[in-house]
């Protein structure tokens, strides 16, 4: 993330392929917000997007349940996949409550998201704070080298400073960078993927691109598949312009697929089928 420009996030918005991805996302989001169902039933679309987004995020974390199973199950405290799905559901519910705090302290929001995701599954002294030197990380789906605790602390602080300083970068770029940094750093002892995807949602909502949180990018990430997700993340971690651009474009495609999902929900509500 090093750059000599005054606004390094904005510079990423000019990478090859990124402006087209930004435009495609903007057009897709505008279309779904213009759907006639959104005039009177946007709360229902938001609720459904949250449920589907949670299902998608949990699927990427290894708990790939059918949507109807997520609806009917209540045993989310059980170890293994149920706990993972429960964590994803809690995060989507919590994310929308944290916008005002995000604008003042992104790191406080990340700590809160981890606390919510962990849900008592870890020792209290490790929850809601970045890991210390020597502390393990339970994130089996991401095999990238694990940065040391000092590097994590420095890069988290740098990311927060960039966000608080303000940027002219498009919402997609900001969201993709937050998502990618958290996956690369894995700052917490667990649930880093879930937290990273929830943070992406927070940025998309806070930026004004998706103020009603009806464009669940987690759905798109899951639909594109874990292999493509990890390959795109490899590009981001490489730090090359091509790799970073590919990650941002991948995140843009995920948002577009999330829009498609919510458009289908709008159509079903209009037909009276949901």
């Amino acid at each position: 993330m090093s750059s000599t420009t005054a606004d390094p996030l904005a510079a990423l918005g000019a990478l090859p392929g990124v402006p087209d991805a930004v435009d495609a996302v903007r057009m897709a989001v505008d279309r779904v917000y213009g759907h006639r169902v959104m005039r009177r039933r946007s709360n229902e679309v938001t609720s459904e997007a949250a449920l589907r987004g949670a299902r998608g995020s949990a699927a990427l974390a290894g708990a790939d349940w059918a949507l109807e199973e997520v609806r009917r199950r209540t045993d989310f405290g059980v170890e293994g996949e149920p706990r993972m799905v429960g964590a994803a559901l809690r995060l989507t519910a919590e994310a929308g409550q944290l916008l005002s705090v995000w604008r003042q302290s992104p790191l406080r929001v990340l700590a809160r998201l981890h606390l919510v995701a962990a849900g008592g599954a870890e020792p209290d002294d490790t929850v809601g704070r970045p890991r210390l030197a020597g502390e393990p990380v339970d994130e089996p789906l991401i095999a990238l080298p694990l940065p040391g605790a000092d590097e994590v602390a420095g890069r988290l602080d740098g990311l927060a400073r960039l966000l608080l300083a303000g940027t002219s970068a498009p919402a997609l770029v900001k969201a993709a960078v937050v998502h990618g940094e958290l996956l690369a750093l894995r700052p917490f002892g667990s649930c880093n993927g879930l937290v990273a995807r929830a943070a992406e949602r927070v940025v998309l909502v806070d930026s004004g691109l998706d103020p009603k949180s009806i464009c669940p990018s987690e759905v798109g990430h899951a639909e594109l598949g874990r292999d493509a997700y990890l390959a795109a993340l490899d590009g981001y971690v490489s730090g090359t312009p091509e790799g970073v651009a590919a990650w941002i474009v991948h995140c843009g495609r995920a948002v577009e697929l999330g829009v498609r999902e919510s458009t289908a929900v709008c159509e079903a509500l209009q037909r009276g089928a949901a």
Side-chain angles (χ1 to χ4, degrees):
M1 294 304 302
S2 61
S3 177
T4 58
T5 67
D7 190 351
L9 293 181
L12 298 181
L15 292 174
V18 173
D20 288 343
V22 168
D23 288 346
V25 166
R26 178 77 265 175
M27 287 189 291
V29 172
D30 285 348
R31 281 197 300 272
V32 72
Y33 270 85
H35 197 287
R36 62 186 299 176
V37 164
M38 289 295 296
R39 297 175 197 166
R40 296 184 303 277
R41 304 182 70 178
S42 64
N43 288 343
E44 293 172 70
V45 182
T46 296
S47 296
E48 191 65 21
L51 182 72
R52 294 176 186 226
R55 192 217 73 81
S57 192
L60 282 171
D64 191 1
W65 290 10
L67 184 62
E68 292 311 312
E69 186 171 7
V70 177
R71 288 190 202 281
R72 69 175 180 80
R73 293 277 287 267
T74 58
D75 57 334
F76 297 119
V78 177
E79 285 297 330
E81 291 189 5
R83 187 181 288 278
M84 187 72 69
V85 175
L89 288 167
R90 291 192 301 273
L91 282 171
T92 56
E94 186 76 9
Q97 312 302 315
L98 298 172
L99 296 178
S100 62
V101 183
W102 178 263
R103 293 162 191 158
Q104 299 171 357
S105 177
L107 298 185
R108 279 178 57 199
V109 170
L110 296 178
R112 174 63 184 169
L113 290 174
H114 184 244
L115 183 68
V116 168
E122 295 183 54
D124 287 347
D125 62 346
T126 67
V127 174
R129 65 157 174 79
R131 55 188 166 84
L132 303 178
E135 289 183 342
V137 173
D138 180 14
E139 204 70 44
L141 299 178
I142 299 177
L144 293 167
L146 194 66
D150 288 344
E151 181 181 350
V152 168
R155 285 174 64 177
L156 280 178
D157 183 66
L159 178 64
R161 288 175 183 274
L162 278 177
L163 294 168
L164 292 172
T167 175
S168 63
L172 173 62
V173 172
K174 290 187 287 185
V177 167
V178 168
H179 187 168
E181 279 292 286
L182 292 175
L183 288 178
L185 296 176
R186 282 146 290 160
F188 302 111
S190 67
C191 301
N192 289 288
L194 294 175
V195 168
R197 292 183 287 277
E200 181 181 56
R201 174 185 286 266
V202 170
V203 175
L204 292 171
V205 173
D206 176 64
S207 67
L209 177 68
D210 181 21
K212 295 182 183 294
S213 195
I214 62 165
C215 305
S217 58
E218 306 97 323
V219 169
H221 285 302
E223 187 171 333
L224 291 168
R226 194 178 300 159
D227 289 346
Y229 186 66
L230 296 176
L233 177 61
D234 283 345
Y236 178 83
V237 172
S238 76
T240 65
E242 297 81 9
V244 174
W247 169 251
I248 296 170
V249 170
H250 183 87
C251 290
R253 182 60 183 147
V255 175
E256 288 186 73
L257 291 170
V259 168
R260 187 177 71 179
E261 187 86 354
S262 285
T263 301
V265 170
C266 288
E267 294 294 325
L269 288 170
Q270 186 167 289
R271 295 192 306 270

